[in-house]
Amino acid sequence: MEYFTVEETNLICIYDIRTRAGLLRDLYAATEDVYDPELLEVFKAVIHKLEGLTDGEYLELAPGLVPADDLEVDA
């Protein structure tokens, strides 16, 4: 089971994902400029999920954080 939705993963991949703390910092800063209610909900969902993870848990998930356009699809 995937932890983040496709929309959440695509949002995450815009930012530097090397550390959970750095990603959270970037997401919090970006929310100040998000005026679309639906997009803001995606930001909030990602932040909430990241806050619930330990750094170790995040590092286990990080390799799977690939934008949807970069996923290989078996034909």
Side-chain angles (χ1 to χ4, degrees):
M1 183 170 116
E2 298 297 320
Y3 190 76
F4 295 102
T5 67
V6 171
E7 293 81 7
E8 292 167 351
T9 301
N10 286 339
L11 174 65
I12 290 168
C13 290
I14 295 171
Y15 300 96
D16 183 354
I17 65 168
R18 288 179 289 177
T19 67
R20 184 180 69 90
L23 178 56
L24 277 167
R25 181 187 60 243
D26 291 347
L27 290 168
Y28 274 119
T31 59
E32 296 175 13
D33 297 319
V34 176
Y35 302 102
D36 179 87
E38 290 179 26
L39 182 56
L40 188 57
E41 287 304 312
V42 176
F43 270 86
K44 288 179 180 179
V46 170
I47 289 169
H48 177 74
K49 288 179 179 182
L50 287 170
E51 288 176 336
L53 293 173
T54 65
D55 289 334
E57 291 168 333
Y58 174 75
L59 290 175
E60 289 179 24
L61 290 172
L65 297 175
V66 178
D69 289 347
D70 291 349
L71 293 176
E72 290 184 24
V73 177
D74 294 330

